[in-house]
Structure formats: C-alpha cells, structure tokens
C-alpha cells in the first residue's frame, strides 16, 4: 500500500492476501469465498483493534502522512469562490501560508492556513509548510481585513513550526508571531481554528488564538516535536516515540486538558484515506461553531476568547508563606 505506516503493516499484508485470493479465484475459477470471508472477518477485527488503540507516536505518523489533506484541499471541498490574496505589503509573499476570501455556504469568510507541498518541488516552494515572518504578517493583514468587513475567520493549522533560519530571525520572526497572538486575541469577529495535521510550537499558535479550537482526531499540537523534545531531555532524538507518549500532544490529551474544544472524528486509518468524507466531518463542526459564534456581539466574542485562554493551565503564587492555587 502506498504511504503505508509501520503500525498498519499487518493490515496491509492481510488486505494484500485477500486481493491475491480474489484474483486467483477469478483467474482459475476456483471457489475460495469461504477462505476470503474468513480473512475479511479477521481483517475487520484487526482494523478495529488497531485503530481503536492508536498510540501517540502512531498519531504523529498519521499527522505527517505525505498524502494527508492540506489547507487548500479542504478549502476546495468546503468552500466556493475562493480568491487567494498574496503578500504582507512589507516584504514578500510567503507560500507556506495561504489565505483569502471565500463563501462558506451563504456566509462570506476569510480563510487562512499553513500549506505544505505534495511533492519535493512544491515542498521546496512552500518551505515544507514552515512560514517566514512575512507569512504571519500576511495572515494578520487578512485577519484585520476580515475584521473591517465583518467576516468570520477560519484558520487551518498544519506546520512543524515557524522557519528557524537566520533570515527569518533577521526579519522579525518572533515579533511577527507575538503580534499575531496579541491581535487575534482582540479580533471583533468569530475565529475558528482547526488543527488538521501537525500543530508545532509558536508557528502553529500564530494562527491558533480562536473562539473555538478544534483538532482532527489524529493531529498533534505541541510546543516542540517529539524528536526535539527527546534530543533535549535524553540527548537522543531516537527516543521520539518515548517523548510522544509523555508530552500529551494528541487530540484526546488536549481535550482532557481543556486546551481544545472539540475532537473531529477522522476516517478510519486517517484523513488521507478519504478526504471528501473527512471534509464532511469538518464541515459539520464549522457549521456548528458558526451558528454559535455569529450570535455573539463583538464584545462577547472578545470576552469569550479571553475567558477561554485564561482558564487553561494551572498556576500558583506565594503570599505570606501561603500557596494560592
């Protein structure tokens, strides 16, 4: 199977066996239906057991799958009349972030998202989905435009992180990310954020301050990659699987921690198995979010966003030797 993941290998081998038996039966005219039915029943049980017990590292691999649907895939499936807008009006256009105006059903929206490539050539053009500061400034320009005209904003998050190169730092990478965080917190229109693949560090957060934040079931959201965490904690990037287990980076973990609002169910085996069906699942969640958020006033939207982020996490401070939590 093209793009097969390691944990799916037993499933792939069984699927191949069934296909071979079907081909042999058709070619030789020998009835193997009982054997095929037995294997199909075994396959069904194996699939159920595998996909209901996916480990964090398995989800990391699914989130990184080369054929996983991208922002532009979902825009084409969910929206109409998309008009892409380019440039930050300061330096350049960053192809690692795409954005523009579209119609979502009967509602005009601004849609923005990270965009990685589907092959080596496109990945190079889009810098593997890792934005430079001009990408975040383009995103902010489109958000402020959306605010001016009263359009809801939908953000798709899918990046390993902001590009850490020297040129990006010289052009203000950290400032661009920080400014997006501040400005998104105060936007007067609904903001819906959906993690569709990898949500890496500040590069993801710069599009992630929303009224509602959702995640696809097999996506990840973290301050650092498992490989990076392993290199820091154990001086060994090969311990990435171990790091993924402890970092709480999966949708179920983040839902339990109160960081995201809703987990969007994925097609069995991952979104890459059927992007149209996956888009339909995302569609239902966006519709529900818009119905709720469009009923809020500008002040209520800002207040809701403020309260949402204020309640994330735990803190403590000491006053006269008393710890307050």
């Amino acid at each position: 199977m093209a793009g097969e993941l390691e944990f799916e290998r037993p499933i792939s081998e069984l699927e191949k066996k069934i296909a071979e038996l079907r081909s042999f039966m058709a070619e030789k005219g020998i009835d193997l239906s009982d054997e095929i039915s037995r294997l199909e029943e075994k396959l069904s049980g194996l699939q159920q057991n595998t996909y209901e017990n996916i480990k964090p590292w398995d989800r990391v691999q699914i989130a990184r799958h080369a054929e996983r649907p991208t922002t532009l895939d979902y825009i084409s499936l969910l929206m109409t009349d998309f008009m892409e807008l380019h440039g930050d009006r300061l330096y350049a256009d960053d192809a690692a972030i795409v954005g523009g105006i579209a119609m979502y059903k009967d509602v005009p929206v601004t849609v923005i998202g990270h965009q990685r490539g589907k092959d080596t050539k496109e990945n190079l053009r889009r810098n593997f989905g890792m934005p430079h500061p001009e990408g975040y400034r383009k995103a902010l320009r489109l958000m402020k435009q959306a605010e001016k005209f009263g359009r809801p904003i939908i953000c798709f998050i899918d990046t390993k992180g902001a590009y850490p190169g020297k040129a990006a730092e010289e052009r203000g990478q950290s400032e661009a990310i920080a400014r997006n965080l501040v400005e998104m917190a105060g936007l007067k229109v609904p903001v819906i954020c959906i993690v569709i693949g990898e949500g890496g560090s500040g590069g993801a957060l710069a599009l992630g301050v929303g009224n509602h934040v959702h995640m696809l079931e097999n996506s990840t959201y973290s301050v650092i990659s498992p490989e990076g965490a392993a290199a820091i904690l154990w001086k060994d990037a090969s311990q990435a699987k171990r790091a993924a287990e402890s970092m709480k980076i999966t949708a179920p973990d983040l839902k339990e921690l109160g960081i995201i609002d809703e987990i969007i169910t994925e097609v069995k085996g991952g979104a890459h198995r059927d992007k149209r069906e996956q888009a339909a699942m995302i569609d239902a969640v966006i519709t529900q979010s818009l119905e709720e958020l469009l009923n809020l006033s500008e002040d209520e939207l800002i207040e809701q966003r403020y309260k949402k982020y204020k309640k994330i996490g735990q803190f403590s401070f000491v006053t006269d030797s008393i710890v307050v939590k």
Side-chain angles (χ1 to χ4, degrees):
M1 180 190 300
E4 136 185 326
L5 301 172
E6 183 179 353
F7 76 96
E8 293 180 308
R9 194 161 296 148
I11 294 174
S12 300
E13 291 174 352
L14 201 49
E15 288 175 333
K16 183 179 179 181
K17 178 70 172 177
I18 292 171
E20 288 174 350
L21 288 177
R22 289 188 182 281
S23 177
F24 185 80
M25 185 171 68
E27 181 181 341
K28 302 297 184 180
I30 301 174
D31 186 8
L32 298 173
S33 54
D34 288 343
E35 176 68 9
I36 291 173
S37 295
R38 184 183 68 79
L39 290 177
E40 286 178 333
E41 185 176 344
K42 182 179 179 180
L43 175 63
S44 178
L46 182 59
Q47 287 175 327
Q48 182 174 352
N49 182 64
T50 300
Y51 295 131
E52 288 183 359
N53 296 283
I54 297 178
K55 304 298 182 184
W57 181 245
D58 298 331
R59 294 191 192 276
V60 171
Q61 299 307 301
I62 295 174
R64 293 173 174 176
H65 198 287
E67 297 172 13
R68 192 169 177 84
T70 65
T71 292
L72 287 176
D73 288 325
Y74 288 126
I75 289 175
S76 67
L77 291 167
L78 293 169
M79 301 170 191
T80 58
D81 302 319
F82 175 60
M83 180 172 64
E84 185 175 355
L85 302 176
H86 298 271
D88 66 343
R89 301 298 186 267
L90 292 169
Y91 181 76
D93 182 53
D94 186 352
I97 285 185
V98 296
I101 305 166
M103 290 296 294
Y104 177 72
K105 299 179 179 178
D106 295 326
V107 180
V109 299
T110 289
V111 57
I112 304 165
H114 302 96
Q115 182 65 33
R116 54 184 171 77
K118 292 293 187 71
D119 53 37
T120 301
K121 183 178 179 180
E122 188 182 8
N123 265 320
L124 289 172
R125 183 168 73 86
R126 297 191 182 278
N127 202 36
F128 295 85
M130 297 186 292
H132 288 76
E134 50 268 23
Y136 295 116
R137 291 179 180 128
K138 173 171 68 173
L140 180 58
R141 179 175 74 84
L142 299 184
M143 291 177 197
K144 300 302 286 186
Q145 182 194 75
E147 182 180 51
K148 177 179 179 181
F149 292 101
R151 291 191 296 266
I153 299 167
I154 300 172
C155 293
F156 292 109
I157 297 169
D158 184 14
T159 182
K160 295 178 183 296
Y163 184 61
K166 179 183 177 183
E169 297 296 343
E170 288 175 342
R171 295 199 297 275
Q173 184 75 288
S174 298
E175 188 277 338
I177 292 172
R179 185 169 298 278
N180 275 27
L181 300 181
V182 171
E183 295 289 349
M184 289 188 78
L187 289 171
K188 298 176 182 179
V189 293
V191 183
I192 301 168
C193 306
I194 304 172
V195 184
I196 60 173
E198 287 186 274
S201 193
L205 280 176
L207 297 186
V209 182
N211 296 95
H212 287 176
V213 179
H214 308 306
M215 281 181 73
L216 293 192
E217 182 181 359
N218 293 314
S219 57
T220 62
Y221 204 13
S222 63
V223 298
I224 193 172
S225 70
E227 292 89 345
I232 292 172
L233 294 174
W234 302 296
K235 312 301 181 185
D236 184 0
S238 68
Q239 294 290 320
K241 184 175 181 179
R242 177 183 172 191
E245 295 282 348
S246 62
M247 289 171 64
K248 305 297 183 184
I249 63 176
T250 67
D253 291 326
L254 294 167
K255 173 67 173 175
E256 184 178 344
L257 292 169
I259 293 172
I260 64 169
D261 296 284
E262 188 168 342
I263 299 172
I264 303 175
T265 303
E266 283 199 34
V267 175
K268 187 179 291 185
H272 59 282
R273 296 273 185 165
D274 190 334
K275 64 182 181 181
R276 291 187 179 278
E277 184 179 347
Q278 190 61 63
M281 295 176 183
I282 295 173
D283 183 41
V285 173
I286 293 177
T287 298
Q288 182 180 354
S289 284
L290 280 178
E291 287 177 356
E292 178 181 335
L293 296 174
L294 287 173
N295 288 321
L296 301 181
S297 68
E298 293 179 353
D299 289 340
E300 287 172 333
L301 286 168
I302 296 171
E303 181 68 12
Q304 186 269 351
R305 213 176 293 137
Y306 171 74
K307 289 180 177 178
K308 171 183 173 60
Y309 286 93
K310 186 178 180 182
K311 71 180 182 181
I312 291 175
Q314 298 180 348
F315 69 93
S316 63
F317 59 91
V318 179
T319 301
D320 297 329
S321 300
I322 300 174
V323 178
V324 180
K325 291 188 176 181

